[in-house]
Amino acid sequence: MFTLAEVASLSDIQPTYRILKPWWDVFMDYLAVVMLMVAIFAGTMQLTKDQVVCLPVLQSTVNSKVQPDTSGKADFTTVETTTGQEEASMRTVSFRSAPTVIPDILLSRATSSQYQPTESGQELKKEQKDSSGRKTNLDFQQYVFINQMCYHLALPWYSKYFPYLVLIHTIILIVSSNFWFKYPKTCSKIEHFVSILGKCFESPWTTKALSETACEDSEENKQRLTGAQSLPKYVSTSSDEGSPSASTPMITKSGFKFSADKPMIEIPSVTILDKKDGEQAKALFEKVRKFRAHVEDSDLIYKLYVGQTVIKTVKFIFILCYTANFVNTISFEHICNPKVEHLIGYTQFECTHNMAYMLKKLLISYISLICVYGFICLYTLFWLFRIPLKEYSFEKVREESSFSDIPDVKNDFAFLLHMVDQYDQLYSKRFGVFLSEVSENKLRGISLNHEWTYEKLRQHVSRNAQDKQELHLFMLSGVPDAVFDLTDLDVLKLELIPEAKITAKISQMTNLQELHLYHCPAKVEQTAFSFLRDHLRCLHVKFTDVAEIPAWVYLLKTLRELYLIGNLNSENNKMIGLESLRELRHLKILHVKSNLTKIPPNITDVAPHLTKLVIHNDGTKLVVLNSLKKMTNVAELELQNCELERIPHAIFSLSNLQELDLKSNSIRTIEEIISFQHLKRLTCLKLWHNKIVSIPSSITHIKNLESLYLSNNKLETLPAAVFSLQKLRCLDVSYNSIAVIPVEIGLLQNLQHFHITGNKVDILPKQLFKCVKLRTLSLGQNCITSIPDKVSQLLQLTYLELKGNCLDRLPATLGQCQLLRKSGLIVEDHLFDALPSEVKEVLNQDTSIPFANGI
């Protein structure tokens, strides 16, 4: 036997799931419990008290005589009974012939009456006076037997199995109502949803953080501190800073609004949220984001709920149809014909069912409950198909709060929120806040500011190569407010900070002149933009997509240097917004590291004042260079890694060009170099890292050339024409295949830097040491066997590289190179150790003399 609690446990669900049970599901659960009680009550009554009592049906008038037969057996006399009052006062026994079973006591009496008729008659009269009713001549066992026979034969089956049917139907309805909570593919999603929803609604940190966000910079909250008892049910705070112009991106400060069951005094939090609270907030937003992405992919929960509702409706119709027909079959009286006359002596019995009236009342009650249950199922179906439950809009929440970016959701996510609304709409309102990126960013900002204090940021400040104070922030959720308190900062680098916001407090950083934004599409407030527009001098922007370039970059009127690093192929040039470069009226240096196939013509907007243009391609061939002709004021031009095969003719129109760098291209011949004679101001030519095999004699026409870089090419000889460039101060022919240094090198009296590392030189001409102004001499990785003593003539030599040659010793005259020190002498250790001690002593002074000079 099972208890009510055990059966009711079938409909038990976790208390947290109650938020997903609307009023109709709750009502149907209670109806199911009542139906369970009906089933259990009826079953208990049936098992303990249900029985059938049967009596044989007798003839109203019996005339029978019993006479002794020839075998000497007893002959019974017939006792006639009459209707009326005599039936009430006497008991008449009628005996049948052949099949009748005659009790022994009666038989003895009948036998003895043949011999003592007078005594027998007196006894019968006495019995008739003492008893009433009709005698059936059945013993107790026969009554038990016939009662059990008639219970199974005479009673309708519904009267016997009604409690069990009610129990089975109720269990099916309970299972149908809660199947979506038990099915694994939906249970996991529901459990996750309820867990997240509860944390969003009940977390103490969430309440405190949202309160800080809502009350930030709100005058309304200050007024509510004095009148907390009259707080409205809905609280909203928002503040807007400035009005954005058509071309300047702005940050609008926004709060949010949410409702509460009870009025709450929301005071701006003055306590610092610890690190644990911040991590919990980040985890909560991440869970909401991942859960949305997971649940919105399918509508299984919705379909399963509709399916179980349809099953319950069909079950209701089925139960109602067949149950209504059995109401009239439950009766108190029944006629039973068991066909056991050979055992009992009677063919028909009249029986009474003691539970008939109770069962009938319970059946009517059950039908009433089923009708109510069915109507609720029909209403549920109406609700399911009346509105699109696979779409959920937060429009009302967006209107009541300042979080206008809360997205609408769909599929199972939307259905779950619709179900929650039937429980309490406050849940979905607060949950919507955690779908807002604005809300997430504000909460992250609170945690970020508490983690990155002024003292911690000060520890990360360093000095760069230019001896400027620099702060590099990497992979943070935002820009800490304390950054803007570092008023002496010169360089600020922000890298991989997707939600960077530059507030008005940046106006305190009066020394800030250089800003780096690496994959950091920073947004600025109006006041901050005004400050950057007037003070920023250098800006580095690194991006993956062109949309990451902030629009305000093109409005910085005082900007002098702009570095753009990212994907800017020719098909997307129109998207860059380079037409806005005309606003950069003071731009001097433009550095573009990308994959261009042509120079964007809009660069000519800055041509009047641009002095340096650098284009670093990633190996994409730069084909169209006609735009260069208009950039007549460019003094420095770098076209690196552009797959150029020849020197572009457009370069020859740049009359003010002073330095040309064509590094890492595919240039094989430089016959066009003769045209450089028109570039009177050209002083530096860098053709390194190409495939040049020879230097034309026409190079002599570049009379003002001071620096020539031809390293990492395929040169085998140095023509004498190179040494006719009297103004040449730097010559770099490293990493070629040069075997001989021409004696004409002595003509370069102004030569200060000579690099021939990584060639095949074996002998150093004495004329080399006539270049007395040499400061740097790189002779490493060659085949040189000896160093002439005339090296002592290089009195200004500060750097000498000899490592990687075939030297046996170093000349002792190295000590006469007054500026050469050990740190500037690159040679094998054993060669240095072989020098005379006085020479080593002179060379070792490099650790003290520079220090003394510095003092």
Side-chain angles (χ1 to χ4, degrees):
M1 187 64 186
F2 43 80
T3 64
L4 178 61
E6 293 173 339
V7 178
S9 64
L10 295 173
S11 63
D12 185 31
I13 59 172
Q14 297 183 19
T16 53
Y17 286 178
R18 292 174 183 173
I19 61 175
L20 293 177
K21 295 184 76 66
W23 68 265
W24 53 81
D25 278 351
V26 176
F27 197 12
M28 285 191 286
D29 284 347
Y30 282 117
L31 289 175
V33 172
V34 175
M35 287 188 282
L36 273 178
M37 294 175 64
V38 170
I40 295 173
F41 177 73
T44 304
M45 294 293 292
Q46 191 175 54
L47 292 174
T48 57
K49 296 185 178 182
D50 190 27
Q51 62 181 353
V52 172
V53 178
C54 299
L55 291 176
V57 178
L58 305 177
Q59 299 295 331
S60 59
T61 303
V62 181
N63 294 314
S64 62
K65 295 182 179 180
V66 182
Q67 297 178 352
D69 55 10
T70 56
S71 62
K73 291 184 180 181
D75 185 14
F76 295 91
T77 59
T78 301
V79 180
E80 296 184 358
T81 62
T82 59
T83 62
Q85 295 180 353
E86 292 180 354
E87 291 183 354
S89 60
M90 62 183 298
R91 180 173 57 192
T92 304
V93 181
S94 175
F95 297 96
R96 296 181 180 179
S97 56
T100 304
V101 179
I102 303 173
D104 293 340
I105 185 171
L106 296 179
L107 183 59
S108 63
R109 288 179 180 178
T111 307
S112 62
S113 63
Q114 296 180 6
Y115 306 99
Q116 300 176 357
T118 304
E119 183 179 353
S120 177
Q122 292 176 355
E123 290 178 358
L124 287 174
K125 289 180 181 181
K126 185 177 180 180
E127 289 179 5
Q128 291 173 358
K129 290 180 181 181
D130 295 340
S131 61
S132 62
R134 295 184 178 182
K135 204 165 188 176
T136 60
N137 300 321
L138 298 178
D139 60 13
F140 177 75
Q141 293 296 332
Q142 290 173 320
Y143 277 115
V144 172
F145 174 77
I146 199 63
N147 288 344
Q148 293 180 353
M149 286 290 295
C150 290
Y151 181 84
H152 292 285
L153 296 177
L155 285 185
W157 68 272
Y158 196 77
S159 297
K160 294 179 288 185
Y161 302 111
F162 164 72
Y164 309 104
L165 292 174
V166 173
L167 179 61
I168 293 173
H169 293 324
T170 305
I171 291 176
I172 293 175
L173 292 176
I174 291 174
V175 171
S176 299
S177 294
N178 298 286
F179 184 71
W180 67 317
F181 292 124
K182 306 296 183 181
Y183 186 57
K185 291 186 177 180
T186 58
C187 176
S188 59
K189 295 180 180 179
I190 293 173
E191 182 178 354
H192 197 185
F193 173 76
V194 172
S195 174
I196 294 175
L197 192 64
K199 291 179 181 179
C200 291
F201 189 84
E202 298 176 357
S203 172
W205 179 90
T206 302
T207 303
K208 184 162 54 176
L210 291 178
S211 177
E212 279 194 4
T213 306
C215 297
E216 186 179 3
D217 297 331
S218 174
E219 295 296 329
E220 179 182 351
N221 289 321
K222 296 179 182 179
Q223 298 175 1
R224 288 193 292 121
L225 294 179
T226 59
Q229 294 181 353
S230 59
L231 285 174
K233 188 174 182 179
Y234 293 91
V235 181
S236 175
T237 64
S238 62
S239 61
D240 298 328
E241 185 172 326
S243 301
S245 62
S247 59
T248 305
M250 291 290 296
I251 296 176
T252 302
K253 288 187 177 181
S254 59
F256 71 96
K257 184 193 321 185
F258 60 89
S259 60
D261 292 334
K262 298 179 180 180
M264 297 176 61
I265 301 176
E266 295 184 349
I267 302 174
S269 177
V270 295
T271 59
I272 296 178
L273 302 177
D274 56 26
K275 184 176 181 180
K276 181 179 179 181
D277 291 335
E279 293 300 324
Q280 288 177 350
K282 294 176 184 178
L284 188 57
F285 274 104
E286 187 66 22
K287 284 183 179 180
V288 171
R289 188 182 299 109
K290 290 184 177 180
F291 177 77
R292 178 189 173 193
H294 176 61
V295 177
E296 278 191 318
D297 291 339
S298 66
D299 58 352
L300 178 61
I301 298 178
Y302 171 77
K303 290 180 178 178
L304 189 59
Y305 188 83
V306 172
Q308 69 183 31
T309 305
V310 171
I311 291 174
K312 289 189 292 184
T313 305
V314 173
K315 187 71 176 176
F316 145 72
I317 296 174
F318 170 73
I319 294 174
L320 190 62
C321 289
Y322 90 88
T323 304
N325 296 328
F326 292 104
V327 176
N328 295 325
T329 62
I330 299 178
S331 176
F332 180 74
E333 297 181 356
H334 299 277
I335 301 299
C336 177
N337 298 295
K339 298 181 180 180
V340 289
E341 187 178 358
H342 62 287
L343 297 176
I344 304 299
Y346 299 98
T347 60
Q348 191 176 57
F349 295 84
E350 185 170 346
C351 306
T352 60
H353 185 201
N354 65 333
M355 287 289 296
Y357 293 114
M358 180 62 70
L359 288 178
K360 193 166 187 178
K361 293 181 183 297
L362 291 176
L363 178 58
I364 294 173
S365 301
Y366 176 68
I367 292 175
S368 302
L369 293 173
I370 282 293
C371 290
V372 177
Y373 194 98
F375 287 131
I376 296 176
C377 289
L378 294 175
Y379 173 81
T380 304
L381 289 176
F382 169 74
W383 179 79
L384 286 171
F385 297 107
R386 179 175 60 90
I387 57 175
L389 297 181
K390 292 197 291 184
E391 298 176 0
Y392 189 91
S393 175
F394 285 96
E395 182 177 359
K396 186 176 180 181
V397 180
R398 291 194 292 263
E399 291 175 354
E400 295 178 354
S401 69
S402 58
F403 293 140
S404 58
D405 66 324
I406 300 177
D408 296 337
V409 296
K410 58 183 180 179
N411 289 336
D412 282 344
F413 199 6
F415 176 68
L416 290 174
L417 289 173
H418 279 293
M419 296 295 286
V420 169
D421 278 350
Q422 300 301 316
Y423 182 82
D424 189 349
Q425 293 185 356
L426 182 58
Y427 278 92
S428 59
K429 288 181 179 180
R430 289 198 174 185
F431 193 79
V433 173
F434 287 87
L435 292 170
S436 169
E437 292 185 4
V438 174
S439 172
E440 181 178 6
N441 294 335
K442 288 193 174 184
L443 293 176
R444 284 181 176 178
I446 294 173
S447 177
L448 181 70
N449 291 330
H450 293 159
E451 179 181 0
W452 288 87
T453 60
Y454 176 85
E455 291 76 14
K456 184 175 181 178
L457 289 170
R458 175 59 68 181
Q459 295 175 1
H460 286 74
V461 175
S462 61
R463 287 194 173 273
N464 60 14
Q466 292 77 30
D467 198 31
K468 294 182 178 180
Q469 292 197 51
E470 177 182 297
L471 176 63
H472 187 187
L473 299 179
F474 178 73
M475 289 187 69
L476 299 182
S477 60
V479 180
D481 291 341
V483 169
F484 306 116
D485 295 329
L486 303 173
T487 56
D488 55 347
L489 202 64
D490 299 309
V491 181
L492 177 60
K493 293 184 178 181
L494 305 177
E495 184 172 0
L496 291 174
I497 304 179
E499 298 298 332
K501 297 180 180 64
I502 301 177
T503 64
K505 292 181 65 178
I506 198 175
S507 58
Q508 302 174 171
M509 306 174 69
T510 54
N511 291 339
L512 184 65
Q513 294 188 349
E514 184 174 343
L515 179 63
H516 295 246
L517 302 176
Y518 293 161
H519 301 287
C520 180
K523 299 178 181 179
V524 298
E525 295 178 358
Q526 181 64 45
T527 305
F529 169 74
S530 300
F531 172 81
L532 293 175
R533 181 186 59 194
D534 298 334
H535 292 81
L536 198 62
R537 297 293 181 266
C538 179
L539 177 63
H540 295 248
V541 181
K542 188 175 182 179
F543 53 90
T544 302
D545 186 79
V546 70
E548 296 180 21
I549 304 178
W552 52 267
V553 167
Y554 305 102
L555 303 175
L556 302 174
K557 297 180 180 180
T558 60
L559 193 66
R560 296 181 181 274
E561 301 179 25
L562 176 61
Y563 296 79
L564 299 177
I565 306 173
N567 185 11
L568 293 174
N569 56 53
S570 58
E571 290 77 11
N572 294 334
N573 278 338
K574 294 181 179 180
M575 301 173 60
I576 302 174
L578 290 180
E579 62 276 1
S580 299
L581 289 179
R582 62 171 58 95
E583 298 293 333
L584 306 180
R585 299 170 185 173
H586 294 85
L587 189 66
K588 299 296 183 183
I589 300 175
L590 178 59
H591 186 291
V592 180
K593 187 175 182 180
S594 184
N595 56 345
L596 299 173
T597 57
K598 64 178 182 179
I599 296 180
N602 291 331
I603 287 183
T604 57
D605 293 339
V606 294
H609 41 81
L610 195 65
T611 59
K612 182 177 181 179
L613 175 62
V614 180
I615 296 179
H616 285 204
N617 260 13
D618 61 354
T620 304
K621 189 172 184 180
L622 190 60
V623 180
V624 182
L625 297 167
N626 294 332
S627 299
L628 289 177
K629 295 180 179 179
K630 299 179 181 180
M631 309 186 71
T632 55
N633 291 325
V634 170
E636 297 182 33
L637 177 62
E638 294 184 20
L639 301 176
Q640 297 187 16
N641 204 18
C642 297
E643 289 297 317
L644 299 175
E645 296 179 358
R646 304 181 73 91
I647 299 175
H649 290 278
I651 295 176
F652 306 137
S653 302
L654 306 179
S655 57
N656 291 315
L657 189 65
Q658 298 179 14
E659 181 178 333
L660 176 63
D661 188 349
L662 299 178
K663 181 181 179 181
S664 300
N665 284 283
S666 299
I667 299 175
R668 296 178 180 274
T669 177
I670 53 174
E671 296 298 333
E672 301 88 352
I673 203 170
I674 191 173
S675 299
F676 283 146
Q677 61 182 328
H678 304 295
L679 306 180
K680 303 297 183 180
R681 299 185 178 182
L682 185 64
T683 58
C684 181
L685 179 60
K686 297 180 179 180
L687 299 174
W688 45 1
H689 296 271
N690 279 280
K691 301 177 181 179
I692 301 172
V693 295
S694 63
I695 302 174
S697 58
S698 56
I699 196 173
T700 58
H701 293 92
I702 315 176
K703 298 184 179 297
N704 294 320
L705 197 62
E706 297 179 359
S707 300
L708 178 61
Y709 294 85
L710 292 169
S711 63
N712 295 90
N713 279 282
K714 297 182 179 181
L715 299 175
E716 295 182 356
T717 60
L718 290 175
V722 174
F723 306 106
S724 64
L725 302 174
Q726 295 298 319
K727 295 184 178 180
L728 200 64
R729 294 189 299 175
C730 179
L731 177 60
D732 186 356
V733 289
S734 302
Y735 300 102
N736 282 279
S737 301
I738 299 172
V740 178
I741 300 177
V743 295
E744 289 84 358
I745 193 172
L747 301 175
L748 300 178
Q749 292 299 308
N750 292 314
L751 189 64
Q752 297 180 8
H753 307 278
F754 181 49
H755 304 274
I756 196 169
T757 301
N759 281 274
K760 301 178 181 179
V761 177
D762 55 356
I763 299 176
L764 296 178
K766 297 180 180 180
Q767 289 79 2
L768 173 62
F769 303 103
K770 293 182 179 181
C771 303
V772 294
K773 294 184 179 180
L774 273 175
R775 297 182 179 181
T776 303
L777 181 59
S778 300
L779 302 173
Q781 301 179 36
N782 279 280
C783 302
I784 301 173
T785 57
S786 64
I787 303 296
D789 293 338
K790 290 188 176 182
V791 70
S792 61
Q793 299 178 8
L794 305 179
L795 299 179
Q796 299 185 20
L797 191 66
T798 59
Y799 181 87
L800 177 61
E801 180 187 354
L802 298 174
K803 194 172 185 177
N805 284 281
C806 302
L807 297 173
D808 294 332
R809 64 179 182 85
L810 295 177
T813 55
L814 280 177
Q816 300 179 19
C817 299
Q818 299 176 359
L819 300 180
L820 184 63
R821 297 292 179 265
K822 183 179 179 181
S823 60
L825 179 60
I826 311 301
V827 69
E828 286 83 356
D829 292 339
H830 71 277
L831 293 177
F832 181 81
D833 294 338
L835 286 171
S837 58
E838 60 273 10
V839 175
K840 291 191 291 182
E841 183 178 353
V842 172
L843 295 177
N844 283 327
Q845 293 179 357
D846 60 333
T847 59
S848 59
I849 292 179
F851 180 75
N853 292 339
I855 295 177

